């Protein structure tokens, strides 16, 4: 008899591969059979814990992993929580210079849009601020 599969572990803050978001809210996300409390950065290389908790904290440093993977990203979806928040125009220009489009929306809408675009095998990434 085969051993039962051990649950996936997100303790390292990174899981390789593209994964859809199963659920969100209550301070976290469920994906790939795991749950995570806090914000997420979903990139072509995998899912990362993201220490951003407010739209004001989104800057070049917090989005550096997006820039590193720019060749595999055409669109970055940013979920800013329960409300849509403005993103610094210089940050939008920085992403555009890297060849990445930017769409800012509520976290729920960003998660749903990300799931659709991943299912279509599009070059998409998402930066999702956790919703309480």
């Amino acid at each position: 008899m085969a051993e039962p599969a051990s649950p996936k572990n997100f303790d390292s803050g990174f899981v390789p591969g593209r994964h859809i978001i199963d659920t969100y809210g209550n301070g976290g996300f469920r994906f790939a059979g795991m749950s995570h409390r806090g914000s997420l950065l979903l990139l072509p290389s995998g899912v990362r814990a993201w220490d951003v908790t407010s739209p004001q904290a989104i800057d070049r440093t917090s989005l550096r992993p997006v820039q590193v993977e720019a060749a595999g990203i055409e669109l970055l979806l940013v979920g800013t929580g329960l409300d849509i928040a403005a993103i610094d125009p210089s940050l939008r220009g920085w992403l555009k210079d890297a060849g990445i489009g930017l769409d800012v929306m509520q976290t729920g809408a960003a998660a749903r849009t990300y799931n659709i675009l991943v299912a279509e095998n599009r070059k998409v990434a998402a930066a999702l601020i956790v919703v309480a």
Side-chain angles (χ1 to χ4, degrees), residues 3-129:
E3 290 287 319
S6 55
K8 294 182 183 176
N9 188 332
F10 196 65
D11 290 343
S12 69
F14 178 76
V15 169
R18 295 181 79 181
H19 302 282
I20 63 167
I21 300 297
D22 297 318
T23 61
Y24 62 90
N26 296 322
F29 297 89
R30 286 197 52 77
F31 63 94
M34 294 177 271
S35 62
H36 170 69
R37 295 195 62 76
S39 301
L40 289 178
L41 195 55
L42 297 105
L43 301 168
S45 65
V47 181
R48 303 179 174 280
W50 195 42
D51 64 359
V52 171
T53 58
S54 73
Q56 296 77 20
I58 300 172
D59 59 14
R60 289 181 186 199
T61 301
S62 69
L63 294 178
R64 186 74 59 207
V66 174
Q67 184 190 37
V68 169
E69 295 192 39
I73 302 169
E74 292 176 353
L75 176 64
L76 173 64
L77 302 170
V78 176
T80 56
L82 291 175
D83 298 311
I84 299 171
I87 297 295
D88 184 333
S90 68
L91 188 58
R92 187 176 294 273
W94 178 71
L95 290 166
K96 184 178 179 183
D97 289 346
I100 301 171
L102 176 67
D103 203 348
V104 180
M105 56 192 79
Q106 295 173 318
T107 294
R112 290 186 300 273
T113 303
Y114 174 81
N115 286 348
I116 290 166
L117 295 177
V118 165
E120 294 176 352
N121 204 29
R122 301 275 301 276
K123 292 183 172 185
V124 64
L128 305 176
I129 294 177

